[in-house]
Amino acid sequence: MQDDLLARAKAWLAEDPDADTRTELARLIDAGDHDELTARFAGTLQFGTAGLRGELGAGPMRMNRSVVIRAAAGLAAYLKKQGHTDGLVVIGYDARHKSADFARDTAAVMTGAGLRAAVLPRPLPTPVLAFAIRHLGAVAGVEVTASHNPPRDNGYKVYLGDGSQIVPPADADIAAEIDAVRTLRDVPRPDTGWQTLDDDVLDAYLTRTDAVLAPGSPRTARTVYTAMHGVGKDTLLAAFARAGFPRPTLVTEQAEPDPDFPTVAFPNPEEPGAMDLAFAAARESAPDLIIANDPDADRLAVAVPDAAEATGWRMLRGDEVGALLAAHLVTREAHGTFAESIVSSSLLARIAAKANLPHVETLTGFKWIARVEDIRYGYEEALGYCVDPEGVRDKDGITAALLITELASTLKQADRTLLDLLDDIAVEHGLHATDQLSVRVEDLSLIAAAMNRLREQPPSTLAGLPVTTAEDLTRGTDTLPPTDGLRYTLDGARVIVRPSGTEPKLKCYLEVVVPVAALADLPAARAKAADLLTALKRDLSTAAGI
């Protein structure tokens, strides 16, 4: 077995095109590091609806040029079998380690396969790539990014010609073509032949961002902005300048791209401590709100002044921003379907119903939300918002930032705030309080064990509330295809448990709904909701054994 492992490692080394990973792998082989080699060659990174995502390094279980070349070759073969023999593939990338290399390799493989390839001019937000696919009439797009993962990771996200991320069965079909690549010597990779786009595509995207705002709307709200060491700054500043908003005050320590993300443990606005520098900047400049993108700028975080918080600022939950944007679009008489994933708040359904608008729930992820027929607005609780589906059929942290800042400006004109509007929404539709129990693991078997435990011994009560229905979503429902998840409906509450699709996490999504008769009843309703959420976390953790 050890001889076979060494043989596979040496075969991989012999065709690795990257000097960095060749050196790394040669060192492991020379050292006879059996444990590390076993980890690197235990299988291959699996290509799925999230594309590829993993830790950078040598070997088939890591993200590297060899893995990316195989993935690109598989995608090219799939596209040609779909009849796109000379179609255009647009490629974007972020500023992470190796992203530019992976983008260039993808362009070379597409060109070598007889397809046309066009690469964005520099590291740009993922929404620009999603826009470019539809704008240029491409048959597919690739974004090299690991979004908000740790610095050691990178990823490979695939879109088809409608500008949406892949869903089954395309993922399995592409994976089969990747598996059919026996050796990199079989993959032609010319040195030239693809196009490097100029700023025309970015200009077209920025022109489109203006369309999310109402003509003549107030543009007075002042913001502090952090790009979280990612690629969002220049595009967001340009969009805000075009719209006529005050220039955002930058969190300078996090403004420029840096693949090492030196000021944060995880470059995700939701993670503890990630927003501390933004809060500090806001205490200096006293803006109306803080806005933050994740590193590839497809997500948006929002914080608002709140004297009750120790920092003076409160991060809004994704569900709260989702409801605010929905209410704003209703006020602007938007038409079309409001869509969300099943793990997002049920509040959106109530807002849509009151406005006589269609509402659809999908599986988790914008790959599903973006495909909803006649979608006008879509969101999910993980800070993702699609406010211009005709332009970007994906979440977009730039246009969402424009829209929430327009809403803040409109409220400011009436001497009101986003928190005031959230209070009004709670009185009108009930207080919908959400939280998440999220457990990060080193050993993925712990997640499978927790899911099995809940399936074999489903809880009958949680937080003192009876479980009225327990659904195993692997069987699918009348409106949802099968997925690895569990959904519990309680009297006045809902719980969904699922493994993360992109990180080694078990995620539990909690929601309680407390009726509110008047504004004066809100403090008591919030206290009740907080107690219920705490009890749900405790009881669910016990039931799952986590």
Side-chain angles (χ1 to χ4, degrees):
M1 180 64 74
Q2 188 160 346
D3 289 344
D4 176 62
L5 175 63
L6 278 174
R8 284 185 287 133
K10 288 177 179 177
W12 186 275
L13 177 64
E15 63 174 26
D16 189 338
D18 189 316
D20 293 338
T21 45
R22 278 201 312 273
T23 300
E24 178 187 325
L25 184 54
R27 188 167 59 246
L28 294 174
I29 293 171
D30 291 344
D33 192 335
H34 182 268
D35 291 346
E36 188 63 27
L37 287 171
T38 298
R40 304 291 184 97
F41 288 85
T44 59
L45 277 185
Q46 292 302 298
F47 185 92
T49 55
L52 293 168
R53 197 175 292 188
E55 186 176 345
L56 290 162
M61 288 295 289
R62 299 288 186 266
M63 281 296 297
N64 51 64
R65 290 183 61 197
S66 297
V67 165
V68 164
I69 289 166
R70 283 176 164 82
L75 174 59
Y78 167 81
L79 292 172
K80 291 171 77 171
K81 284 188 176 179
Q82 298 297 309
H84 304 304
T85 52
D86 64 346
L88 173 66
V89 179
V90 189
I91 302 149
Y93 59 103
D94 66 11
R96 285 178 177 264
H97 293 296
K98 298 293 182 181
S99 286
D101 294 339
F102 295 167
R104 187 171 55 252
D105 282 329
T106 301
V109 171
M110 295 301 160
T111 303
L115 294 155
R116 291 177 292 125
V119 183
L120 293 182
R122 57 186 171 280
L124 286 167
T126 293
V128 178
L129 181 277
F131 167 82
I133 295 166
R134 293 169 66 83
H135 179 68
L136 297 174
V139 299
V142 171
E143 177 69 18
V144 180
T145 181
S147 188
H148 55 274
N149 275 40
R152 65 179 182 272
D153 290 359
N154 212 329
Y156 198 80
K157 188 183 295 187
V158 175
Y159 298 75
L160 294 181
D162 62 354
S164 300
Q165 297 175 51
I166 55 169
V167 294
D171 59 334
D173 293 343
I174 295 169
E177 298 293 345
I178 294 170
D179 290 342
V181 179
R182 296 299 170 208
T183 171
L184 296 191
R185 288 185 289 273
D186 296 337
V187 182
R189 285 181 289 133
D191 293 327
T192 60
W194 59 89
Q195 177 186 9
T196 299
L197 296 167
D198 57 23
D199 278 350
D200 286 352
V201 167
L202 177 60
D203 291 343
Y205 168 81
L206 288 169
T207 298
R208 180 84 200 184
T209 62
D210 296 346
V212 306
L213 302 175
S217 63
R219 313 279 169 94
T220 57
R222 295 170 54 251
T223 57
V224 158
Y225 170 69
T226 175
M228 206 62 66
H229 299 296
V231 299
K233 182 198 72 174
D234 290 345
T235 305
L236 182 131
L237 289 181
F240 268 58
R242 290 177 64 100
F245 287 110
R247 178 183 167 89
T249 298
L250 297 178
V251 179
T252 54
E253 301 95 329
Q254 298 174 333
E256 300 302 327
D258 187 330
D260 294 319
F261 305 104
T263 68
V264 291
F266 288 92
N268 179 354
E270 293 178 294
E271 292 285 345
M275 294 292 289
D276 286 354
L277 288 171
F279 295 151
R283 286 192 290 273
E284 291 289 323
S285 60
D288 298 298
L289 71 163
I290 298 171
I291 50 178
N293 288 138
D294 66 340
D296 69 327
D298 62 351
R299 298 171 194 249
L300 172 74
V302 179
V304 294
D306 187 345
E309 296 288 331
T311 62
W313 288 83
R314 177 161 85 84
M315 285 285 291
L316 297 182
R317 304 191 69 85
D319 286 317
E320 292 176 311
V321 176
L324 287 167
L325 292 175
H328 186 42
L329 290 170
V330 166
T331 300
R332 284 178 34 184
E333 300 182 342
H335 298 285
T337 300
F338 280 18
E340 64 180 325
S341 60
I342 58 172
V343 299
S344 304
S345 173
S346 59
L347 176 56
L348 186 67
R350 299 198 184 193
I351 293 172
K354 183 74 177 289
N356 294 313
L357 292 173
H359 170 264
V360 172
E361 275 190 333
T362 74
L363 294 184
T364 308
F366 265 85
K367 55 185 175 284
W368 298 106
I369 294 171
R371 282 183 158 73
V372 168
E373 187 174 350
D374 192 35
I375 182 173
R376 173 59 185 87
Y377 168 63
Y379 99 92
E380 63 179 359
E381 54 72 45
L383 310 185
Y385 316 95
C386 174
V387 301
D388 178 26
E390 287 306 305
V392 175
R393 199 62 65 90
D394 197 5
K395 54 187 179 289
D396 182 347
I398 306 294
T399 49
L402 288 171
L403 197 61
I404 198 72
T405 308
E406 178 187 60
L407 174 57
S409 300
T410 302
L411 291 166
K412 183 179 181 180
Q413 193 174 57
D415 199 26
R416 305 183 74 234
T417 68
L418 295 175
L419 291 181
D420 292 331
L421 180 54
L422 282 172
D423 288 350
D424 292 347
I425 291 170
V427 172
E428 185 173 4
H429 300 290
L431 177 67
H432 289 62
T434 58
D435 203 353
Q436 191 178 128
L437 174 64
S438 182
V439 182
R440 185 182 293 271
V441 299
E442 292 292 332
D443 181 358
L444 289 176
S445 69
L446 296 176
I447 293 177
M451 295 295 289
N452 288 337
R453 189 177 293 110
L454 289 170
R455 286 191 169 101
E456 292 167 4
Q457 299 175 322
S460 57
T461 62
L462 291 169
L465 303 173
V467 176
T468 54
T469 60
E471 299 170 275
D472 186 343
L473 298 178
T474 55
R475 303 188 180 99
T477 72
D478 292 343
T479 57
L480 297 171
T483 189
D484 186 7
L486 300 164
R487 179 164 60 183
Y488 304 114
T489 304
L490 303 92
D491 185 17
R494 185 203 66 193
V495 174
I496 295 173
V497 184
R498 58 178 282 271
S500 169
T502 56
E503 297 177 273
K505 282 183 176 181
L506 181 69
K507 291 188 170 183
C508 311
Y509 304 84
L510 320 173
E511 179 177 45
V512 299
V513 182
V514 180
V516 182
L519 284 173
D521 300 322
L522 268 172
R526 288 200 178 95
K528 179 180 180 181
D531 289 344
L532 282 171
L533 287 170
T534 298
L536 280 175
K537 277 187 177 182
R538 179 196 65 225
D539 292 355
L540 187 62
S541 181
T542 300
I546 53 176

